């Protein structure tokens, strides 16, 4: 990537070794036939290597042509990795070229007598850009234009129409290529073939066989996130283990999220947010090895939809102690009010037999009059929470029944298939084009809605099945963040009443959990 930026920088602006502006203007005065030209290079896709070799080749060819024609290249414009057919893409150097053509000089003051490109579609692919370019080019008389077809007279009568025809043909060819690419992509997906451009993380270079260490890391990450782990923990774990992305970069939050929600993990394919399905409307299973089960994929996808992205946002405090901020001070103050300050964990004094305590601190708005032993407080609350989770899991699992709209989905699919059959049947004159295209979108929309509802239900079902696992056993494997999230899901707070003066034993009755209601 660094080399690419270096190459692009060298291929932009005044060429190395060009004489000063005054000297060039003197050369033009001495030789009126000398043409000072600018070169424009552009490429839509810089390739997988990202080394800017495409624009490097274009500028080399244009420089050689300029030398052969006796022209002097005074400025180079370069738009690397930028499309000319998409309205949303801003080509900064193309815009600068139009400005300089209208002004008649480059930013440094070199005169502009012409433009060079390897092909006109490097400059423009849309009618509006062609019109803007032609207006800027012809704002001064006598300019020259050269591309792979040779020198052309842009001032000639009818050339504006000729250019528009060329733009239309270029746009048509671009759309044909895009359509062929989409059709090929979908056809390969329907056949269950891998369509990944890069080696997907978790698979070998053949994109089919699993790379064991990466696959195991993904499998564990999926299970952990379903259980409540934060994505930032997965990011840190993978980076600490020395894993890198298929493009050689360190992992970031968004990259990990994309990997964990990719249906490829369970063998499925997705195009524009919808699973690719066969004639019986079943998800097509690819020819690559799966890392997780479909149920696990539905579960983790549902997890991300539920929370709109798991993980602690950047900048949020990561706590070291389990109940920091969850414990609330229950000390009754002199005015009769309850302190209610958030208690925080901190290291205990060396003379004590335990490592940490929870305390209500005045600097944080508390009363400075309440301290709780950390280890026994954590142990008590964890046991209460695990018991509550086990009770809720049993209730939750009973509450998730089978999806009750399978028949509705089957009827909608049959109706769509019957509509298509009758439309293709030349003998069935009741279904004309107008009726077919009026009814098809309604059925397609209904099928899409039912598929989305089915996916949500599968996620709930997977979550219910996971909830029936041994919660006590799985609790021990949770990270601190997972435990805190689980506790906050069932507890609004824990009110801690002070022990009183003197060295008194730990009293569990002084901790009052405030459970969240289901409302």
């Amino acid at each position: 990537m660094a080399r690419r930026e270096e190459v692009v920088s060298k291929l932009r602006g005044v060429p190395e070794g060009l004489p000063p502006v005054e000297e060039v203007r003197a050369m033009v005065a001495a030789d009126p036939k000398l043409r000072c030209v600018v070169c424009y290079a552009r490429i839509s896709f810089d390739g997988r290597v990202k080394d800017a070799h495409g624009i490097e080749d274009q500028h080399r060819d244009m420089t050689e042509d300029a030398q052969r024609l006796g022209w002097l290249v005074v400025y180079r414009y370069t738009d690397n990795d930028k499309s000319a057919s998409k309205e949303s893409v801003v080509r900064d150097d193309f815009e600068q070229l139009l400005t300089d053509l209208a002004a008649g000089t480059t930013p440094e003051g070199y005169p502009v007598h012409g433009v060079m490109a390897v092909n006109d579609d490097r400059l423009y692919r849309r009618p509006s850009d062609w019109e803007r370019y032609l207006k800027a080019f012809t704002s001064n008389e006598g300019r020259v234009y050269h591309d792979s077809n040779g020198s052309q007279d842009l001032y000639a009568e009818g050339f504006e129409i000729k250019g528009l025809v060329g733009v239309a043909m270029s746009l048509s060819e671009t759309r044909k290529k895009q359509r062929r690419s989409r059709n090929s992509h979908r056809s390969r997906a329907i056949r269950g073939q891998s369509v990944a451009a890069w080696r997907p993380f978790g698979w070998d270079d053949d994109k089919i066989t699993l790379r064991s260490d990466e696959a195991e890391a993904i499998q564990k990450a999926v299970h952990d996130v379903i259980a409540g782990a934060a994505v930032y923990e997965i990011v840190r774990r993978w980076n600490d283990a020395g894993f890198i992305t298929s493009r050689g970069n360190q992992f970031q939050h968004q990259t990990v999220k994309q990997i964990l929600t990719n249906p490829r993990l369970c063998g499925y394919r997705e195009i524009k947010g919808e699973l690719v399905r066969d004639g019986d409307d079943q998800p097509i299973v690819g020819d690559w090895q799966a890392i997780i089960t479909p149920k696990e994929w539905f579960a983790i996808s549902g997890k991300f939809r539920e929370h709109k992205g798991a993980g602690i946002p950047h900048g949020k405090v990561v706590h070291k102690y389990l109940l920091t901020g969850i414990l609330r001070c229950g000390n009754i103050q002199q005015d009769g009010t309850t302190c209610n300050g958030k208690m925080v964990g901190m290291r205990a004094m060396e003379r004590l037999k335990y490592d940490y305590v929870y305390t209500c601190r005045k600097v944080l708005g508390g009363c400075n009059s309440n301290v709780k032993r950390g280890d026994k407080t954590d142990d008590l609350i964890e046991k209460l929470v695990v018991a509550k989770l086990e009770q809720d899991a049993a209730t939750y699992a009973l509450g998730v029944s089978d999806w009750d709209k399978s028949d509705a989905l089957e009827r909608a699919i049959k109706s769509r298939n019957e509509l298509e059959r009758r439309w293709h049947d030349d003998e069935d004159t009741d279904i004309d084009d107008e009726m077919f295209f009026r009814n098809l979108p309604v059925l397609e929309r209904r099928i899409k809605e039912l598929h989305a509802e089915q996916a949500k239900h599968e996620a709930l079902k997977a979550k219910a099945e996971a909830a029936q696992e041994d919660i006590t056993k799985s609790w021990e494997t949770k990270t601190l963040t997972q435990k805190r999230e689980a506790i906050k899901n069932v507890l609004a707070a824990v009110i801690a009443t002070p022990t009183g003066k003197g060295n008194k034993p730990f009293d569990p009755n002084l901790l009052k959990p405030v459970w969240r209601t289901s409302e």
Side-chain angles (χ1 to χ4, degrees):
M1 192 68 74
R3 182 188 179 278
R4 178 175 79 162
E5 297 307 319
E6 182 182 351
V7 170
V8 173
S9 179
K10 288 182 178 179
L11 296 175
R12 180 176 281 146
V14 179
E16 187 176 348
L18 186 69
V21 175
E22 296 76 10
E23 188 175 335
V24 169
R25 289 189 176 277
M27 292 167 60
V28 173
D31 182 6
K33 293 184 179 180
L34 178 62
R35 292 289 178 265
C36 295
V37 297
V38 295
C39 297
Y40 179 82
R42 181 193 65 80
I43 195 165
S44 299
F45 178 55
D46 194 19
R48 298 180 185 177
V49 180
K50 300 292 183 185
D51 59 359
H53 67 275
I55 57 167
E56 195 172 25
D57 293 343
Q58 290 181 36
H59 276 298
R60 184 185 61 249
D61 292 345
M62 288 186 285
T63 300
E64 291 175 355
D65 287 343
Q67 291 175 348
R68 178 174 52 81
L69 294 166
W71 295 350
L72 182 64
V73 177
V74 296
Y75 204 84
R76 293 182 295 197
Y77 303 88
T78 301
D79 283 317
N80 188 48
D81 223 2
K82 289 189 176 182
S83 170
S85 57
K86 297 179 180 178
E87 292 185 15
S88 59
V89 176
V90 176
R91 294 183 289 151
D92 296 323
D93 272 31
F94 177 72
E95 297 299 328
Q96 183 64 49
L97 169 63
L98 298 187
T99 299
D100 295 347
L101 283 174
T105 63
T106 69
E108 290 75 16
Y110 290 99
V112 179
H113 301 140
V115 177
M116 299 187 72
V118 294
N119 208 320
D120 56 5
D121 65 2
R122 299 300 90 197
L123 284 159
Y124 45 80
R125 277 185 175 270
R126 294 185 293 129
S128 58
D129 285 343
W130 157 245
E131 291 171 354
R132 293 167 62 215
Y133 169 71
L134 186 63
K135 181 180 179 181
F137 184 93
T138 56
S139 62
N140 283 308
E141 295 293 332
R143 283 176 172 162
V144 294
Y145 172 73
H146 185 277
D147 61 19
S148 58
N149 294 316
S151 297
Q152 300 182 53
D153 183 6
L154 272 59
Y155 302 90
E157 185 177 352
F159 195 86
E160 183 174 358
I161 301 300
K162 180 182 177 182
L164 285 173
V165 172
V167 169
M169 293 178 64
S170 178
L171 272 176
S172 176
E173 185 60 29
T174 297
R175 287 168 181 161
K176 283 181 182 178
K177 288 180 180 178
Q178 291 172 343
R179 186 164 56 250
R180 285 197 297 267
S181 177
R182 286 196 301 268
N183 292 341
S184 173
H185 189 80
R186 183 168 185 85
S187 296
R188 291 171 64 191
I190 291 173
R191 291 196 298 271
Q193 296 176 340
S194 176
V195 292
W198 298 82
R199 178 188 76 81
F201 183 73
W203 284 266
D204 275 330
D205 293 333
D206 61 6
K207 304 171 188 175
I208 295 175
T209 310
L210 294 182
R211 186 167 289 189
S212 59
D213 57 343
E214 295 180 356
E216 288 172 5
I218 291 174
Q219 195 172 50
K220 178 169 174 51
V222 168
H223 293 164
D224 286 348
V225 171
I226 290 174
V231 172
Y232 89 90
E233 292 180 300
I234 308 302
V235 174
R236 184 173 60 189
R237 182 195 302 170
W238 286 5
N239 287 333
D240 289 347
F243 289 124
I244 57 174
T245 69
S246 300
R247 301 191 183 190
N249 302 317
Q250 279 203 319
F251 282 100
Q252 296 180 356
H253 184 282
Q254 188 62 24
T255 315
V256 171
K257 178 183 174 183
Q258 289 171 351
I259 290 173
L260 297 184
T261 55
N262 190 341
R264 185 181 223 280
L265 297 182
C266 70
Y268 291 170
R269 277 283 295 121
E270 197 174 58
I271 294 180
K272 292 186 177 180
E274 292 188 43
L275 293 177
V276 180
R277 299 174 181 271
D278 60 19
D280 296 324
D281 216 53
Q282 296 301 310
I284 291 175
V285 179
D287 57 7
W288 55 89
Q289 295 179 344
I291 295 177
I292 60 176
T293 66
K295 286 184 178 180
E296 289 169 330
W297 178 75
F298 278 115
I300 194 167
S301 298
K303 189 80 173 180
F304 277 98
R305 283 197 302 271
E306 178 184 346
H307 296 287
K308 295 182 180 179
I312 295 177
H314 296 294
K316 190 170 180 178
V317 176
V318 180
H319 296 289
K320 291 175 60 177
Y321 300 98
L322 183 67
L323 298 176
T324 289
I326 298 173
L327 280 180
R328 292 280 187 164
C329 178
N331 182 40
I332 304 300
Q333 302 179 99
Q334 291 183 354
D335 61 359
T337 61
T338 302
C339 172
N340 199 37
K342 290 184 178 181
M343 300 181 69
V344 297
M346 59 183 297
R347 291 188 62 82
M349 292 183 290
E350 292 184 3
R351 64 180 177 82
L352 298 176
K353 296 180 180 180
Y354 39 90
D355 295 329
Y356 62 99
V357 296
Y358 292 104
T359 180
C360 180
R361 303 186 65 185
K362 196 168 186 177
V363 294
L364 298 177
C367 63
N368 235 29
S369 302
N370 196 358
V371 178
K372 288 294 178 185
R373 177 170 174 169
D375 55 352
K376 289 194 174 184
T377 300
D378 285 357
D379 184 58
L380 173 66
I381 300 304
E382 284 187 70
K383 287 178 179 177
L384 291 174
V385 168
V386 168
K388 175 68 173 173
L389 289 173
E390 288 178 337
Q391 179 185 348
D392 291 349
T395 305
Y396 181 70
L398 293 173
V400 181
S401 58
D402 291 336
W403 192 50
D404 59 358
K405 294 186 179 178
S406 298
D407 291 341
L409 176 58
E410 185 177 349
R411 287 195 301 272
I413 293 169
K414 284 183 178 179
S415 297
R416 181 194 61 189
N417 293 344
E418 177 64 15
L419 181 69
E420 291 178 341
R421 186 196 65 76
R422 292 182 62 189
W423 183 54
H424 287 296
D425 188 351
D426 294 335
E427 298 181 0
D428 193 339
T429 57
D430 292 336
I431 303 293
D432 57 13
D433 290 352
E434 190 276 333
M435 180 176 289
F436 175 75
F437 287 107
R438 186 176 71 243
N439 287 279
L440 182 64
V442 177
L443 291 171
E444 290 284 9
R445 185 166 56 252
R446 177 60 175 161
I447 292 170
K448 184 177 180 180
E449 290 171 352
L450 288 169
H451 275 317
E453 189 175 326
Q454 184 183 37
K456 289 182 180 179
H457 185 272
E458 287 292 336
L460 285 174
K461 194 172 181 181
K463 184 178 178 182
E465 291 178 0
Q468 298 178 66
E469 296 176 357
D470 188 343
I471 291 176
T472 303
K473 184 178 179 181
S474 64
W475 184 266
E476 299 304 321
T477 64
K478 289 182 183 294
T479 64
L480 181 69
T481 301
Q482 288 175 300
K483 289 182 177 181
R484 282 181 57 83
E485 289 300 312
I487 290 171
K488 288 191 288 185
N489 283 336
V490 296
L491 280 175
V494 177
I495 300 174
T497 303
T499 306
K501 295 181 179 181
N503 187 17
K504 295 182 180 180
F506 178 79
D507 186 354
N509 295 318
L510 297 178
L511 293 172
K512 179 186 176 183
V514 182
W515 302 104
R516 293 188 184 276
T517 64
S518 58
E519 296 179 357

